[in-house]
């Protein structure tokens, strides 16, 4: 994709005040909305490359390594291992504003906070993440964390997933996946494999019926990895139900109601009894974005997929789960997006052409059993781009070490501190297994 030029009419002095027709309570050169993986990483990178005034807007006081929650649900990590105080991660020299954004006013270079404070900016970076829409499944919020209803998509519930798996004595386990977009599209099936493997290791598998109910028509968005995942499902004797979307749940009665779409498009209702159900909630862009001028029709910040610059407002950039880029929503994507965004933002500040480009890289370590990982790495268009010259379809113990040891270390000690790290993924081909 060709580089997107910055606004030639905009100021090139990073310390110049923002151009705004409204009175602002405070002004910053760079305002970052969201203090998750994307916001902290980008702020840390910027802090090392510019002397601009920078602020992060986020009300959360804790920060979580969310990829670790699958391992909390599988009894490998504790929740404490995945959590840090937000205050300890804000880069030196970056101001933390403990508020939520309420309104975006891009025509005036301002953001209004929940308490009415108006912040002006010269450049805005929007990365508020995804919103978990628990309420879209009728009856779910009332029964989460009890009646065998669990989810690794909330940190405080992940330990209950492990409790349900560890104490399971027989019956039916159901694992659900809603329509995309969702954080880490492989996570809903990872916990199904781990649960089945645990039951097998503890001689309880024979008494369990396990189902994976997905709203999608395939196990994974990159077809190259589907045969390996189908093999894992078969190995664990997990029944896969496609185009099957959880609509309602009755926790006390232990019944789940699904909408099942047939090949001809007709939709029927299916009621399934369960003894344990792991629910992945529907997800969407945050409500504050959906009605804002910087969002597309789906509610995501509309940016060029290579430069991360907004398609209309040249002083706005976005990355992470709330950006419109058609990549898998993972921490690995953020790790590659942030350096691109920072280089292009600095170029825009100096009225230079934006030349850095994000290639759509995402990574999903698909945990097919304890000690086994299918390491899926890919870029835009589903191109398979592994970092190592090994067939990524084969479950490996090295991938398990990567997920359970190296990636958490990389996240806390390098990525969030503004240290760029890329082994060097590239497109490779491997002979199909006989």
């Amino acid at each position: 994709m060709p580089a997107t030029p910055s606004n030639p009419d905009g100021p090139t002095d990073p310390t110049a005040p923002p151009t705004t027709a409204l009175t602002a309570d405070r002004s910053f050169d760079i305002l970052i909305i969201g203090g998750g993986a994307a916001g902290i990483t980008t702020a840390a990178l910027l802090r090392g490359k510019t002397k601009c005034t920078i602020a992060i807007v986020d009300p959360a006081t804790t920060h979580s390594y969310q990829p670790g929650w699958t391992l909390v649900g599988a009894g490998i990590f504790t929740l404490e291992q995945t959590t840090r105080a937000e205050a300890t991660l804000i880069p030196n020299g970056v101001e933390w504003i403990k508020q939520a954004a309420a309104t975006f006013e891009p025509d005036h270079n301002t953001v209004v906070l929940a308490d009415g404070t108006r912040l002006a900016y010269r450049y805005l970076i929007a990365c508020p993440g995804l919103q978990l829409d628990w309420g879209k499944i009728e009856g779910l919020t009332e029964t989460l964390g009890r009646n065998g209803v669990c989810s690794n998509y909330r940190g405080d519930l992940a330990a209950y997933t492990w409790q349900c798996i560890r104490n399971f004595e027989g019956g039916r386990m159901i694992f659900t996946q809603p329509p995309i977009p969702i954080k880490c599209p492989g996570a809903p099936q990872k916990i199904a494999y781990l649960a089945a493997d645990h039951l097998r290791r503890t001689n309880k598998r024979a008494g369990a019926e396990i189902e994976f109910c997905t709203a999608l028509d395939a196990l994974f968005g990159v077809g190259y990895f589907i045969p390996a995942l189908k093999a894992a499902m078969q190995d664990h004797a997990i029944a896969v139900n496609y185009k099957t979307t959880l609509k309602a749940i009755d926790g006390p009665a232990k019944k789940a109601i699904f909408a099942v779409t047939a090949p001809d498009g007709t939709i029927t209702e299916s009621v399934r009894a369960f003894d344990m159900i792991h629910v992945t909630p529907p997800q969407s862009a945050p409500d504050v974005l959906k009605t804002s001028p910087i969002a597309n029709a789906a509610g995501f910040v509309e940016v060029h997929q290579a430069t991360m610059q907004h398609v209309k407002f040249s002083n706005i950039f976005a990355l992470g789960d709330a950006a419109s880029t058609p990549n898998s929503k993972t921490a690995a994507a953020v790790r590659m997006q942030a350096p691109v965004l920072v280089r292009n933002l600095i170029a825009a500040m100096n009225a230079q052409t934006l030349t850095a480009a994000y290639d759509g890289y995402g990574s999903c370590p698909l945990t097919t059993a304890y000690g086994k990982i299918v390491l899926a790495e890919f870029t835009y268009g589903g191109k398979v781009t592994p970092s190592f010259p090994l067939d990524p379809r084969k479950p490996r113990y090295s991938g398990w070490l990567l997920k359970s040891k190296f990636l958490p270390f990389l996240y806390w000690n390098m990525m969030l501190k503004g240290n760029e790290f890329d082994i060097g993924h590239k497109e490779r081909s491997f002979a199909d297994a006989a």
Side-chain angles (χ1 to χ4, degrees):
M1 176 179 174
T4 304
S6 59
N7 181 2
D9 299 322
T12 58
D13 177 6
T15 62
T19 301
T20 175
L22 300 177
T23 301
D25 296 290
R26 300 191 63 192
S27 298
F28 296 93
D29 296 321
I30 302 171
L31 187 63
I32 301 173
I33 306 300
I40 296 292
T41 300
T42 304
L45 286 167
L46 283 167
R47 188 69 283 161
K49 298 178 182 297
T50 179
K51 295 182 179 180
C52 290
T53 57
I54 305 172
I56 291 176
V57 174
D58 196 310
T61 57
T62 58
H63 183 110
S64 297
Y65 176 61
Q66 295 181 35
W69 288 348
T70 293
L71 297 184
V72 175
I76 301 300
F77 285 176
T78 64
L79 180 61
E80 289 72 24
Q81 287 176 280
T82 70
T83 306
R84 300 283 189 278
E86 180 81 354
T88 66
L89 302 175
I90 303 295
N92 291 334
V94 174
E95 183 169 345
W96 176 25
I97 299 174
K98 303 174 190 178
Q99 282 282 330
T103 307
F104 291 89
E105 300 175 331
D107 290 325
H108 303 290
N109 295 334
T110 53
V111 171
V112 181
L113 304 184
D115 68 351
T117 300
R118 177 171 275 105
L119 302 180
Y121 59 82
R122 285 197 58 240
Y123 291 91
L124 177 71
I125 301 172
C127 47
L130 280 182
Q131 174 176 286
L132 305 185
D133 296 321
W134 301 97
K136 288 185 177 179
I137 299 174
E138 183 182 348
L140 177 59
T141 55
E142 295 89 340
T143 193
L144 273 171
R146 59 183 185 273
N147 300 315
V149 182
C150 57
S151 180
N152 292 339
Y153 274 78
R154 228 176 69 187
D156 62 321
L157 295 175
Y160 182 63
T161 300
W162 174 233
Q163 180 182 328
C164 290
I165 294 171
R166 187 178 67 245
N167 296 336
F168 190 81
E169 294 297 337
R172 179 183 287 165
M173 283 182 166
I174 299 177
F175 298 84
T176 75
Q177 176 160 0
I180 55 174
I182 63 170
K183 301 179 184 185
C184 189
Q189 62 186 282
K190 295 179 192 179
I191 192 61
Y193 300 133
L194 289 166
D197 192 35
H198 175 79
L199 294 181
R200 180 161 55 186
R201 290 166 181 260
T202 54
N203 297 316
K204 296 179 180 179
R205 183 64 187 88
E209 178 185 353
I210 305 179
E211 297 184 15
F212 181 64
C213 297
T214 174
L216 309 180
D217 57 6
L219 280 176
F220 200 62
V222 180
Y224 186 81
F225 297 100
I226 290 177
L229 299 177
K230 283 186 175 180
M233 289 288 181
Q234 292 170 359
D235 179 58
H236 289 297
I238 299 172
V240 181
N241 302 304
Y242 297 104
K243 305 295 285 185
T244 302
T245 305
L246 180 63
K247 305 301 291 186
I249 192 163
D250 185 336
K254 293 200 169 183
K255 291 183 178 180
I257 302 171
F258 292 86
V260 182
T261 304
D264 64 0
T266 59
I267 299 175
T268 58
E269 187 176 280
S270 172
V271 180
R272 285 173 165 80
F274 64 84
D275 295 277
M276 169 192 156
I277 184 168
H278 178 274
V279 178
T280 300
Q283 295 162 44
S284 63
D287 289 339
V288 66
L289 282 181
K290 290 173 184 173
T291 57
S292 76
I294 67 174
N296 63 14
F300 293 89
V301 185
E302 193 169 13
V303 296
H304 293 285
Q305 67 177 31
T307 64
M308 315 305 293
Q309 186 185 43
H310 198 277
V311 299
K312 178 181 178 182
F313 302 101
S314 61
N315 65 335
I316 295 178
F317 291 76
L319 76 163
D321 294 350
S324 64
T325 50
N327 58 275
S328 185
K329 296 186 181 299
T330 66
V334 169
R335 180 167 56 85
M336 302 305 294
Q337 288 173 346
V340 169
L341 185 152
V342 168
R343 290 185 179 93
N344 285 334
L345 174 56
I346 291 174
M349 285 181 161
N350 293 288
Q352 297 172 347
T353 300
L354 280 57
T355 57
Y358 168 59
D359 63 3
Y361 176 80
S363 174
C364 190
L366 293 154
T367 313
T368 58
Y370 286 87
K372 292 184 178 181
I373 293 279
V374 170
L375 184 57
E377 297 177 274
F378 41 88
T379 55
Y380 287 140
K383 294 180 181 178
V384 179
T385 55
S387 299
F388 308 99
L390 300 170
D391 189 336
R393 295 167 295 185
K394 182 178 179 180
R396 300 178 188 277
Y397 181 67
S398 58
W400 176 264
L401 292 177
L402 184 76
K403 178 173 178 61
S404 61
K405 302 294 184 182
F406 180 69
L407 291 180
F409 174 85
L410 172 66
Y411 184 83
W412 295 118
N413 298 287
M414 299 185 69
M415 179 173 158
L416 295 188
K417 294 184 178 180
N419 296 312
E420 296 183 36
F421 182 87
D422 180 22
I423 294 174
H425 61 280
K426 64 179 181 179
E427 190 170 6
R428 307 174 194 263
S429 61
F430 299 89
D432 290 331

